[in-house]
Amino acid sequence: MNKIIKKIISSVLLCTVLASCSNSNTSHEIPLEQSNCPISTMRTGTKRQGIISVGNGFECTQEGSYFMYKELGGTWLLYIDHGSDTVIKLCGRPDCTHTDSDCNAYFKEALNICYYDGFLYTMDFENTFVLTGLNLIRMNLDGTERVTVYNTSKFAETNGYKNIENPRIFNGVLFFMAGKLNEDGETIFDSCYYKLDGSMEEPKIDTFFAPFLYGDGESIVGNVDYDAENELCVIGIWDPDKGIVEELFKTDDLANYGYIGTKAHYYVENGVIIEDSYTEVRKELIDTGLKGDYQIVCLPDCIAMYEKGPYEEKTIYFYDWDYNDLGSVKVDYEFNEEIPGFICGETPERIFLTADFYYLPRYYINKSDFGTGNIEIHALNVPDFGEEED
């Protein structure tokens, strides 16, 4: 395994923070006539680029938003109605204290939550001491009626895998990495996928690098292959039925891009937000006038921009897709200085913010504040996680 891929795998396993065939009837899009946005407006059933979570732990549906929050004692499925200020553990049992593993909102280590074909899907360990047994779980939108629709144990045993890591569920597909020891005693990883539509008896192996695949509407984009001769990651479009559909570009720095789409990718360089459309010369969209090392988050109706960490005191700047300055807000709450970003969720009306590495949604911004000269950060009411809260 080449040194670049080893470095990427090591980084992902230490801190998994990174943003086809969906049959979802609920995409929660914004009408295109309301925005000149060149990126996907799909918010539901996909993997949102720039939104930080452990795995793919945020989902936005017509009714509300879901978060998978990992803390020391396990993982909790959280929910908030659109327009509400209160985040709840998604359990409707009147006899439940919502404090232990008997709660319907509790999972051992489920790091994904994704909508597909009328249900929510996640991936949880069958046993945290057996790293080959992951359950693909389907449930209702209220968290009830959990059903295990696939378990990876037999697939892992048949193929000699010792551990399965970095699962991601989006665009109707489960992705994960399966590890085994080579002749030198080193762990090597295969990237695998399994479609949620029930058409596959077992997962298949492919060349893509699973943790660096994202959604761009109905397409899956990202690190689809590796150019070993030049030590470059191949970025392209991938489809579960066709494989690599198109190669877009090559890079040795996957972290440089704020958004990778099928028609263009976006990044910031010396304070200038840039669009590279693959076939034409790059286009400078916005000269922010800011100096420093920044990153951008491309959302359907705006672009957020802030300095890369470690953080001490940070400001988030906002622009629309007509390249207008929408204003800025100072992050004035306490946060872990090492977190890779602030935005842990987004809806047509709000942007959710976090303060720690497990990405609990603690605050939000109303988009209605954009352009008013007074963008405010509001606190959310969050559940009590007891003494084990991070």
Side-chain angles (χ1 to χ4, degrees), residues 126-177:
E126 181 180 26
N127 186 319
T128 53
F129 297 101
V130 180
L131 300 181
T132 56
L134 280 174
N135 288 325
L136 174 63
I137 298 171
R138 184 186 69 214
M139 66 191 111
N140 293 329
L141 298 184
D142 61 0
T144 61
E145 298 186 19
R146 294 188 195 178
V147 177
T148 297
V149 297
Y150 183 75
N151 179 276
T152 60
S153 296
K154 183 178 179 181
F155 169 76
E157 180 181 0
T158 300
N159 293 277
Y161 294 118
K162 303 301 181 183
N163 57 311
I164 289 177
E165 301 176 357
N166 291 293
R168 303 287 191 280
I169 304 172
F170 64 97
N171 284 47
V173 183
L174 161 68
F175 302 90
F176 61 89
M177 299 183 66

Side-chain angles (χ1 to χ4, degrees), residues 90-373:
L90 192 63
C91 176
R93 285 173 41 209
D95 61 331
C96 184
T97 62
H98 314 303
T99 58
D100 54 33
S101 59
D102 291 331
C103 180
N104 282 351
Y106 176 87
F107 294 83
K108 295 184 182 70
E109 194 170 350
L111 306 179
N112 297 264
I113 189 65
C114 190
Y115 177 95
Y116 175 76
D117 199 23
F119 296 94
L120 295 173
Y121 283 81
T122 190
M123 194 78 173
D124 197 18
F125 276 102
E126 181 180 26
N127 186 319
T128 53
F129 297 101
V130 180
L131 300 181
T132 56
L134 280 174
N135 288 325
L136 174 63
I137 298 171
R138 184 186 69 214
M139 66 191 111
N140 293 329
L141 298 184
D142 61 0
T144 61
E145 298 186 19
R146 294 188 195 178
V147 177
T148 297
V149 297
Y150 183 75
N151 179 276
T152 60
S153 296
K154 183 178 179 181
F155 169 76
E157 180 181 0
T158 300
N159 293 277
Y161 294 118
K162 303 301 181 183
N163 57 311
I164 289 177
E165 301 176 357
N166 291 293
R168 303 287 191 280
I169 304 172
F170 64 97
N171 284 47
V173 183
L174 161 68
F175 302 90
F176 61 89
M177 299 183 66
K180 65 174 68 174
L181 297 178
N182 65 11
E183 296 178 352
D184 298 324
E186 297 178 327
T187 300
I188 59 174
F189 289 90
D190 289 328
S191 291
C192 309
Y193 71 98
Y194 180 84
K195 295 169 65 175
L196 303 186
D197 62 9
S199 62
M200 300 171 61
E201 293 185 3
E202 64 177 18
K204 292 183 179 180
I205 300 171
D206 211 298
T207 60
F208 58 74
F209 188 59
F212 290 93
L213 291 182
Y214 310 94
D216 181 40
E218 295 184 355
S219 296
I220 297 170
V221 297
N223 190 179
V224 298
D225 206 347
Y226 184 73
D227 180 349
E229 180 179 354
N230 297 299
E231 296 188 343
L232 294 172
C233 297
V234 179
I235 309 302
I237 306 170
W238 182 87
D239 182 270
D241 298 316
K242 301 175 183 178
I244 299 175
V245 175
E246 181 182 356
E247 293 186 6
L248 299 173
F249 64 100
K250 297 181 181 181
T251 181
D252 62 354
D253 186 6
L254 284 169
N256 186 48
Y257 305 99
Y259 190 94
I260 297 173
T262 59
K263 297 180 179 179
H265 60 267
Y266 299 84
Y267 58 97
V268 59
E269 186 177 89
N270 298 322
V272 179
I273 298 174
I274 296 170
E275 175 187 80
D276 189 329
S277 61
Y278 310 129
T279 58
E280 302 176 4
V281 296
R282 69 178 195 169
K283 179 181 179 182
E284 296 187 355
L285 302 182
I286 306 170
D287 186 349
T288 67
L290 299 171
K291 305 301 179 184
D293 190 13
Y294 284 84
Q295 63 190 53
I296 58 172
V297 178
C298 296
L299 302 171
D301 47 15
C302 67
I303 303 170
M305 177 171 157
Y306 46 80
E307 278 191 283
K308 294 180 180 178
Y311 304 101
E312 294 179 358
E313 179 182 290
K314 294 300 176 184
T315 299
I316 307 176
Y317 302 89
F318 298 97
Y319 308 88
D320 66 20
W321 287 102
D322 290 321
Y323 318 141
N324 298 307
D325 186 344
L326 299 177
S328 63
V329 63
K330 178 182 175 181
V331 181
D332 56 2
Y333 57 80
E334 292 186 8
F335 55 85
N336 187 311
E337 295 178 4
E338 301 295 328
I339 60 175
F342 297 104
I343 297 176
C344 64
E346 187 265 355
T347 74
E349 297 83 22
R350 287 180 173 179
I351 294 175
F352 292 103
L353 305 177
T354 189
D356 54 59
F357 267 112
Y358 290 135
Y359 314 126
L360 178 68
R362 292 186 179 273
Y363 305 91
Y364 69 92
I365 293 169
N366 283 320
K367 293 181 182 177
S368 58
D369 286 348
F370 289 167
T372 66

Side-chain angles (χ1 to χ4, degrees), residues 57-58 65-69 78-80 85-87 342 344-345 352-356 358-364 378-383 385:
F58 170 73
S65 295
Y66 300 84
F67 299 83
M68 274 295 188
Y69 172 60
L78 309 179
Y79 175 80
I80 180 171
D85 286 354
T86 301
V87 180
F342 297 104
C344 64
F352 292 103
L353 305 177
T354 189
D356 54 59
Y358 290 135
Y359 314 126
L360 178 68
R362 292 186 179 273
Y363 305 91
Y364 69 92
H378 306 272
L380 289 166
N381 301 310
V382 298
F385 294 97

